[in-house]
Amino acid sequence: VWEDAANNGVFDAGTDAPLAGATVSLFAGDGTTPAADANGNPVAAQTTLADGLYLFTNLAPGQYVVRATPPSGFRSSSDVSTSANPNNDTDNDDNGVVSGGVVASGPVTLSSHGEPPAGVDSDDTAGNLSVDFGFYQPLRLGDIVWEDRTNDGFFDPEFDAPLAGAVVSLFAGDGTTPAVDADGNAVASQTTGADGLYLFTNLAPGSYVVKVTAPAGFRSSSDGESTPFPNND
Protein backbone atom coordinates (compact mmCIF):
# COMPACT_ATOMS: atom_id res chain seq x y z
CA VAL A 1 0.00 0.00 0.00
CA TRP A 2 1.58 3.29 -1.02
CA GLU A 3 1.06 7.04 -1.17
CA ASP A 4 0.42 7.79 -4.84
CA ALA A 5 1.70 11.36 -4.96
CA ALA A 6 0.85 11.86 -8.63
CA ASN A 7 -2.43 9.90 -8.47
CA ASN A 8 -1.39 7.95 -11.57
CA GLY A 9 -1.87 4.44 -10.21
CA VAL A 10 1.79 3.50 -10.49
CA PHE A 11 4.37 3.31 -7.70
CA ASP A 12 6.98 5.81 -8.86
CA ALA A 13 10.32 5.22 -7.15
CA GLY A 14 11.76 8.45 -5.81
CA THR A 15 8.38 10.17 -5.73
CA ASP A 16 5.98 7.80 -4.01
CA ALA A 17 6.42 6.15 -0.64
CA PRO A 18 4.99 3.16 1.26
CA LEU A 19 1.98 4.08 3.37
CA ALA A 20 1.81 3.12 7.02
CA GLY A 21 -1.44 2.87 8.98
CA ALA A 22 -3.64 1.35 6.28
CA THR A 23 -5.92 -1.50 7.41
CA VAL A 24 -6.04 -4.42 4.96
CA SER A 25 -8.72 -7.13 5.26
CA LEU A 26 -9.36 -10.32 3.34
CA PHE A 27 -12.76 -11.54 2.14
CA ALA A 28 -14.11 -14.44 0.13
CA GLY A 29 -14.69 -13.92 -3.57
CA ASP A 30 -18.12 -12.39 -2.98
CA GLY A 31 -16.41 -9.45 -1.31
CA THR A 32 -18.61 -9.55 1.78
CA THR A 33 -17.91 -12.85 3.58
CA PRO A 34 -14.84 -12.65 5.85
CA ALA A 35 -12.18 -15.03 4.58
CA ALA A 36 -11.07 -18.17 6.41
CA ASP A 37 -7.65 -19.75 6.03
CA ALA A 38 -6.89 -23.32 4.97
CA ASN A 39 -7.61 -24.49 8.52
CA GLY A 40 -10.98 -22.76 8.64
CA ASN A 41 -9.81 -20.00 10.96
CA PRO A 42 -10.80 -16.33 10.36
CA VAL A 43 -8.10 -14.34 8.60
CA ALA A 44 -7.18 -11.37 10.79
CA ALA A 45 -6.95 -7.88 9.30
CA GLN A 46 -3.50 -6.31 9.13
CA THR A 47 -2.26 -2.74 9.53
CA THR A 48 0.61 -1.63 7.33
CA LEU A 49 3.84 -0.39 8.87
CA ALA A 50 6.49 1.93 7.43
CA ASP A 51 7.19 -0.50 4.56
CA GLY A 52 3.51 -0.48 3.48
CA LEU A 53 3.48 -4.27 3.12
CA TYR A 54 0.78 -6.79 3.98
CA LEU A 55 0.68 -10.56 3.49
CA PHE A 56 -2.07 -13.15 4.05
CA THR A 57 -0.74 -16.71 4.29
CA ASN A 58 -2.02 -20.31 4.63
CA LEU A 59 -4.87 -19.78 2.17
CA ALA A 60 -6.72 -22.48 0.23
CA PRO A 61 -7.02 -22.11 -3.56
CA GLY A 62 -10.06 -20.05 -4.51
CA GLN A 63 -11.25 -16.50 -5.02
CA TYR A 64 -10.55 -13.67 -2.59
CA VAL A 65 -11.15 -9.92 -2.37
CA VAL A 66 -8.80 -7.56 -0.55
CA ARG A 67 -10.16 -4.41 1.12
CA ALA A 68 -7.92 -1.51 2.11
CA THR A 69 -8.84 1.31 4.48
CA PRO A 70 -6.29 4.15 4.36
CA PRO A 71 -5.27 6.37 7.27
CA SER A 72 -7.43 9.43 7.88
CA GLY A 73 -7.06 12.08 5.19
CA PHE A 74 -6.21 9.72 2.33
CA ARG A 75 -8.35 8.49 -0.54
CA SER A 76 -7.98 5.90 -3.26
CA SER A 77 -6.07 6.69 -6.43
CA SER A 78 -8.63 7.68 -9.04
CA ASP A 79 -6.79 6.36 -12.09
CA VAL A 80 -8.48 2.93 -12.14
CA SER A 81 -11.61 3.65 -10.12
CA THR A 82 -13.69 1.23 -12.20
CA SER A 83 -11.23 -1.11 -13.92
CA ALA A 84 -8.72 -2.59 -11.48
CA ASN A 85 -7.50 -6.08 -12.42
CA PRO A 86 -5.62 -7.77 -9.57
CA ASN A 87 -5.09 -10.90 -11.69
CA ASN A 88 -2.93 -9.08 -14.23
CA ASP A 89 0.15 -10.06 -12.19
CA THR A 90 1.53 -6.56 -12.68
CA ASP A 91 3.43 -5.34 -9.67
CA ASN A 92 3.23 -1.80 -8.27
CA ASP A 93 -0.05 -0.85 -9.97
CA ASP A 94 -3.17 0.30 -8.13
CA ASN A 95 -5.80 -2.43 -7.77
CA GLY A 96 -8.31 -0.48 -5.69
CA VAL A 97 -11.88 0.04 -6.88
CA VAL A 98 -14.11 2.42 -4.92
CA SER A 99 -17.70 1.28 -4.37
CA GLY A 100 -19.98 2.57 -1.64
CA GLY A 101 -17.03 4.20 0.10
CA VAL A 102 -15.16 0.87 0.26
CA VAL A 103 -11.83 0.43 -1.50
CA ALA A 104 -11.39 -3.17 -2.64
CA SER A 105 -9.71 -5.27 -5.27
CA GLY A 106 -11.65 -7.26 -7.80
CA PRO A 107 -11.78 -11.01 -7.16
CA VAL A 108 -8.29 -12.52 -6.95
CA THR A 109 -8.11 -16.16 -8.05
CA LEU A 110 -5.45 -18.23 -6.28
CA SER A 111 -4.42 -21.64 -7.60
CA SER A 112 -1.56 -23.98 -6.72
CA HIS A 113 1.46 -23.40 -8.98
CA GLY A 114 -0.52 -20.82 -10.93
CA GLU A 115 0.62 -17.53 -9.48
CA PRO A 116 3.13 -14.88 -10.64
CA PRO A 117 6.57 -16.35 -11.35
CA ALA A 118 9.83 -15.24 -9.83
CA GLY A 119 10.62 -11.64 -10.72
CA VAL A 120 7.08 -10.36 -10.22
CA ASP A 121 7.60 -9.70 -6.51
CA SER A 122 7.45 -13.42 -5.69
CA ASP A 123 10.04 -16.17 -5.38
CA ASP A 124 7.71 -19.06 -6.26
CA THR A 125 4.33 -19.78 -7.85
CA ALA A 126 2.42 -20.30 -4.62
CA GLY A 127 1.20 -16.76 -4.05
CA ASN A 128 -0.04 -13.58 -5.70
CA LEU A 129 2.10 -10.78 -4.29
CA SER A 130 1.03 -8.08 -6.73
CA VAL A 131 -2.27 -6.84 -5.22
CA ASP A 132 -1.30 -3.25 -4.51
CA PHE A 133 -3.24 -0.16 -3.46
CA GLY A 134 -2.43 3.51 -4.08
CA PHE A 135 -3.81 6.40 -2.02
CA TYR A 136 -3.31 10.15 -2.13
CA GLN A 137 -4.04 13.14 0.09
CA PRO A 138 -6.39 15.79 -1.34
CA LEU A 139 -4.52 19.03 -1.93
CA ARG A 140 -5.01 22.81 -1.62
CA LEU A 141 -4.18 25.72 -3.89
CA GLY A 142 -4.42 29.42 -3.17
CA ASP A 143 -2.87 32.60 -1.79
CA ILE A 144 -3.58 36.31 -2.14
CA VAL A 145 -4.78 38.91 -4.63
CA TRP A 146 -3.44 42.38 -3.85
CA GLU A 147 -3.30 45.97 -5.08
CA ASP A 148 0.21 46.30 -6.47
CA ARG A 149 0.61 50.03 -5.94
CA THR A 150 4.19 50.11 -7.23
CA ASN A 151 3.46 47.66 -10.08
CA ASP A 152 6.61 45.66 -9.31
CA GLY A 153 4.99 42.24 -9.01
CA PHE A 154 5.77 41.80 -5.30
CA PHE A 155 3.53 42.25 -2.29
CA ASP A 156 5.16 44.94 -0.17
CA PRO A 157 3.21 45.33 3.11
CA GLU A 158 4.54 48.87 3.48
CA PHE A 159 2.92 50.10 0.27
CA ASP A 160 0.51 47.43 -1.02
CA ALA A 161 -2.81 46.13 0.31
CA PRO A 162 -5.02 43.03 -0.15
CA LEU A 163 -7.61 43.48 -2.90
CA ALA A 164 -11.26 42.71 -2.24
CA GLY A 165 -13.80 41.95 -4.95
CA ALA A 166 -11.57 39.91 -7.28
CA VAL A 167 -13.21 36.79 -8.74
CA VAL A 168 -10.88 33.78 -8.74
CA SER A 169 -11.71 30.66 -10.80
CA LEU A 170 -9.97 27.31 -11.14
CA PHE A 171 -9.44 25.40 -14.38
CA ALA A 172 -7.74 22.20 -15.43
CA GLY A 173 -4.19 22.46 -16.75
CA ASP A 174 -5.38 23.24 -20.28
CA GLY A 175 -6.69 26.56 -18.97
CA THR A 176 -10.14 26.12 -20.52
CA THR A 177 -11.80 23.15 -18.82
CA PRO A 178 -13.45 24.10 -15.50
CA ALA A 179 -11.79 22.20 -12.67
CA VAL A 180 -13.46 19.52 -10.62
CA ASP A 181 -12.48 18.49 -7.10
CA ALA A 182 -11.41 15.07 -5.86
CA ASP A 183 -15.07 14.01 -5.69
CA GLY A 184 -15.74 15.03 -9.28
CA ASN A 185 -17.72 18.12 -8.28
CA ALA A 186 -17.31 21.46 -10.06
CA VAL A 187 -15.00 23.85 -8.19
CA ALA A 188 -16.89 27.06 -7.47
CA SER A 189 -15.31 30.45 -8.14
CA GLN A 190 -14.46 32.62 -5.15
CA THR A 191 -14.59 36.36 -4.57
CA THR A 192 -11.87 37.81 -2.39
CA GLY A 193 -12.77 39.63 0.81
CA ALA A 194 -10.89 42.34 2.63
CA ASP A 195 -7.94 40.00 3.22
CA GLY A 196 -7.55 39.30 -0.51
CA LEU A 197 -7.26 35.57 0.13
CA TYR A 198 -8.63 32.64 -1.87
CA LEU A 199 -8.24 28.89 -1.30
CA PHE A 200 -9.36 25.88 -3.34
CA THR A 201 -9.42 22.63 -1.35
CA ASN A 202 -10.07 18.89 -1.83
CA LEU A 203 -8.15 18.76 -5.12
CA ALA A 204 -6.67 15.66 -6.73
CA PRO A 205 -3.01 15.80 -7.78
CA GLY A 206 -2.62 17.28 -11.23
CA SER A 207 -2.13 20.52 -13.17
CA TYR A 208 -4.38 23.52 -12.66
CA VAL A 209 -4.69 27.09 -13.94
CA VAL A 210 -6.02 29.96 -11.82
CA LYS A 211 -7.85 32.83 -13.53
CA VAL A 212 -8.49 36.14 -11.78
CA THR A 213 -10.98 38.81 -12.78
CA ALA A 214 -10.10 42.07 -11.04
CA PRO A 215 -12.63 44.59 -9.77
CA ALA A 216 -13.57 47.33 -12.21
CA GLY A 217 -10.78 49.83 -12.78
CA PHE A 218 -7.91 47.45 -12.01
CA ARG A 219 -5.55 45.63 -14.37
CA SER A 220 -2.82 43.01 -13.93
CA SER A 221 0.62 44.01 -12.73
CA SER A 222 2.78 44.48 -15.82
CA ASP A 223 6.09 43.24 -14.42
CA GLY A 224 5.75 39.70 -15.66
CA GLU A 225 2.36 39.35 -17.28
CA SER A 226 3.76 37.43 -20.27
CA THR A 227 5.85 34.96 -18.21
CA PRO A 228 3.98 34.03 -15.02
CA PHE A 229 5.54 31.14 -13.14
CA PRO A 230 3.30 29.86 -10.34
CA ASN A 231 5.49 26.83 -9.58
CA ASN A 232 8.38 28.89 -8.22
CA ASP A 233 6.90 28.60 -4.70
Side-chain angles (χ1 to χ4, degrees):
V1 181
W2 84 93
E3 182 174 0
D4 187 8
N7 188 29
N8 64 359
V10 178
F11 183 87
D12 298 308
T15 303
D16 297 336
L19 184 60
T23 301
V24 189
S25 305
L26 190 66
F27 291 80
D30 61 8
T32 59
T33 304
D37 65 18
N39 298 324
N41 299 315
V43 177
Q46 301 179 17
T47 301
T48 58
L49 300 176
D51 59 9
L53 300 179
Y54 74 94
L55 180 64
F56 299 112
T57 61
N58 194 34
L59 302 177
Q63 279 198 330
Y64 299 89
V65 168
V66 183
R67 289 187 186 180
T69 303
S72 177
F74 285 84
R75 60 192 307 151
S76 180
S77 299
S78 58
D79 65 292
V80 291
S81 57
T82 59
S83 61
N85 179 10
N87 278 333
N88 61 8
D89 297 342
T90 300
D91 195 23
N92 293 333
D93 67 331
D94 176 37
N95 295 132
V97 174
V98 182
S99 179
V102 175
V103 180
S105 72
V108 181
T109 301
L110 296 181
S111 60
S112 296
H113 305 293
E115 297 313 312
V120 188
D121 205 17
S122 177
D123 58 4
D124 55 38
T125 58
N128 187 327
L129 304 185
S130 65
V131 186
D132 306 314
F133 296 88
F135 293 94
Y136 71 91
Q137 289 183 292
L139 305 168
R140 302 176 296 163
L141 186 157
D143 206 357
I144 189 171
V145 182
W146 83 92
E147 182 178 359
D148 188 8
R149 293 171 177 170
T150 57
N151 191 27
D152 64 355
F154 292 93
F155 182 81
D156 186 337
E158 184 177 354
F159 301 103
D160 300 333
L163 184 62
V167 178
V168 189
S169 304
L170 190 66
F171 291 80
D174 61 8
T176 59
T177 304
V180 297
D181 64 17
D183 297 311
N185 300 316
V187 177
S189 296
Q190 301 179 17
T191 301
T192 58
D195 59 6
L197 301 179
Y198 72 94
L199 180 65
F200 299 110
T201 62
N202 193 35
L203 302 177
S207 294
Y208 297 89
V209 168
V210 181
K211 293 187 179 181
V212 182
T213 303
F218 286 85
R219 61 191 302 159
S220 179
S221 299
S222 59
D223 65 292
E225 63 184 73
S226 62
T227 57
F229 187 42
N231 276 336
N232 61 7
D233 297 337

